[in-house]
Amino acid sequence: MIPEKTIVTSETSKSSPLNPSSTRIICHVCNKQFAQYTCPRCNFRYCSLPCYKSHSVQCTESFMRENVVDELRQVRSDDQTKTKMLEILKRFHEEEEEEDDDDIMTDDGEGSSSTIPEETIQKILAGDEISFDDLSLEERKGFQRALASGELSKMIEPWDPWWLSSSAQRISLGAQGKQLVQCVEEEDDKEGTFVSDIPRGPDAPLMSLSKLSSTKPSPLLPLHLVDVLYSYCFTLRIYNGEWQSDSLGAATMVLSVSSVLGQNAQPGTMKEVLSFCLEQTCSSAYKSLGGGLKFGLNLVDDVIHVLSLGNAALVCLLCDLQRLVLGALQEVKSSGRDLKKKLKLADRKVYFMMCWVNEQTPEVWPALESSVRAEKNSIVKLNDYKGFHDVKEKAHTRKGGVVIEEIE
């Protein structure tokens, strides 16, 4: 486990001409201003109230709520979203009245109108939380229908992966992989700036491989890196980018998709790597979450794109994955000894891989990128030739081949 992460600059500060030789600590949130304050809860350094508020979410989010509640909390302050929620609830009532029209007719032949309780409306408008128990029987039925149909998911803003943003192509780290000042982008339609959502790189210098291990790194590490990248992209897309809302669940998903981290496997070919990853993606466990061959091949494209970004982006990705694993370790209960052991091993593997990536020359990634793309094209051609709508791939390590089976 890496010690407490701190960004320190010992260079002359332009903002402090009276004390040019002093060592200054940079704000861990915006990575732009010098930190003047320390969070009393976690000793995180920050420079201003906005950064403290932003940090507070990062500090507590993984210990608070389930993903759905967290999403509702994020959108509840939006008046337009509140209005849309009210319209959906009213529509639920109208549909319920039409279905049960014969049962709710009054003595004079006119249907009694069912309205949303005033108390519920006031809670929504005030931005207060509403539990399932606060809903009437009709509202509960409507909510369950909307959940099953996916109508509620339309209220959640789609997440754009950070590795596809333009700022991902401009990530810069120090010689030892240490985090530099984070990229800040201008917004054309709003005043001010916002900090890019690129994951923070290591706050402390990465160790050299020679200090981590006396043996030479395995030549299979590039293949294992592809396995780990795929599992990360898979998890972030499933979690809509918000793994912090459920670190333990996200880490469990990473372990299930990655044979390297979850099963301590040592795949020896690119075919074996992608076979296992796509097999997991096409499994029944993830079908309901949008899994399948098309989704899996899109994730392979994600891996190819991440590799094209080079060392700095790869280090930031692995650093974010390590934070995910460490967050899960804090949440796992004492009864989950086996899971805790797997998470600790995954933490060490990810950190070693991060140090290895940082020491690689830029020429390594185009070659690995080409290898992934070639194997993907092979899978697509085989699938088109067989004429299957969906496939399940199983790697047979003894024969070194892949058998493609149709999922019924």
Side-chain angles (χ1 to χ4, degrees), residues 231 285 310 328:
S231 66

Side-chain angles (χ1 to χ4, degrees), residues 123-281:
K123 279 188 176 182
I124 295 175
L125 294 178
D128 295 334
E129 293 183 7
I130 298 177
S131 68
F132 191 71
D133 295 333
D134 291 330
L135 305 179
S136 66
L137 179 60
E138 291 79 9
E139 289 170 339
R140 292 179 187 181
K141 290 180 180 179
F143 179 82
Q144 289 172 337
R145 286 201 305 270
L147 192 62
S149 66
E151 186 169 0
L152 286 181
S153 64
K154 296 177 182 178
M155 300 182 63
I156 302 176
E157 184 179 354
W159 175 67
D160 295 322
W162 62 263
W163 55 85
L164 298 181
S165 66
S166 58
S167 56
Q169 301 176 9
R170 302 190 299 272
I171 302 175
S172 179
L173 298 177
Q176 294 178 297
K178 187 177 177 182
Q179 173 72 48
L180 299 178
V181 176
Q182 193 168 359
C183 177
V184 176
E185 296 184 352
E186 295 284 347
E187 280 215 307
D188 297 332
D189 56 343
K190 296 180 180 179
E191 294 183 358
T193 61
F194 70 96
V195 178
S196 170
D197 60 351
I198 303 298
R200 220 170 57 246
D203 292 333
L206 294 174
M207 296 179 64
S208 66
L209 291 176
S210 59
K211 292 183 179 180
L212 286 176
S213 175
S214 58
T215 60
K216 189 176 180 180
S218 170
L220 298 178
L221 267 178
L223 299 175
H224 298 175
L225 175 64
V226 172
D227 171 278
V228 172
L229 295 180
Y230 185 101
S231 66
Y232 173 87
C233 295
F234 177 95
T235 302
L236 258 68
R237 282 197 177 273
I238 292 295
Y239 273 79
N240 208 38
E242 295 292 336
W243 63 258
Q244 296 91 341
S245 61
D246 182 16
S247 299
L248 184 56
T252 302
M253 184 174 290
V254 167
L255 295 180
S256 70
V257 177
S258 169
S259 65
V260 173
L261 299 180
Q263 300 183 7
N264 200 27
Q266 300 288 323
T269 65
M270 187 64 69
K271 187 173 293 185
E272 289 180 48
V273 171
L274 295 187
S275 294
F276 184 87
C277 291
L278 290 174
E279 178 184 348
Q280 296 305 109
T281 305

Side-chain angles (χ1 to χ4, degrees), residues 379-397:
I379 294 171
V380 171
K381 288 179 181 178
L382 180 58
N383 182 52
D384 291 341
Y385 175 76
K386 294 293 185 181
F388 291 153
H389 296 291
D390 208 353
V391 302
K392 178 180 180 181
E393 301 184 3
K394 292 184 177 180
H396 294 259
T397 55

Side-chain angles (χ1 to χ4, degrees), residues 110 124 231 404-405:
E110 295 182 356
I124 295 175
S231 66
I404 309 253
E405 296 179 352

Side-chain angles (χ1 to χ4, degrees), residues 13 21 36 39 42 46 74 111 148 173 187 269 314 327 333 352:
S13 172
S21 61
Q36 304 180 46
C39 173
C42 65
Y46 61 95
Q74 293 178 23
L173 298 177
E187 280 215 307
T269 65
L314 290 168
K333 297 179 180 179
F352 183 87

Side-chain angles (χ1 to χ4, degrees), residues 312-345:
L314 290 168
V315 169
C316 287
L317 183 150
L318 293 170
C319 191
D320 193 41
L321 178 56
Q322 187 187 38
R323 293 189 186 103
L324 186 158
V325 173
L326 293 176
L329 273 170
Q330 294 179 359
E331 289 188 17
V332 69
K333 297 179 180 179
S334 57
S335 57
R337 293 182 179 178
D338 291 340
L339 178 57
K340 198 168 188 177
K341 185 177 179 180
K342 280 188 176 183
L343 290 171
K344 287 183 176 180
L345 181 59

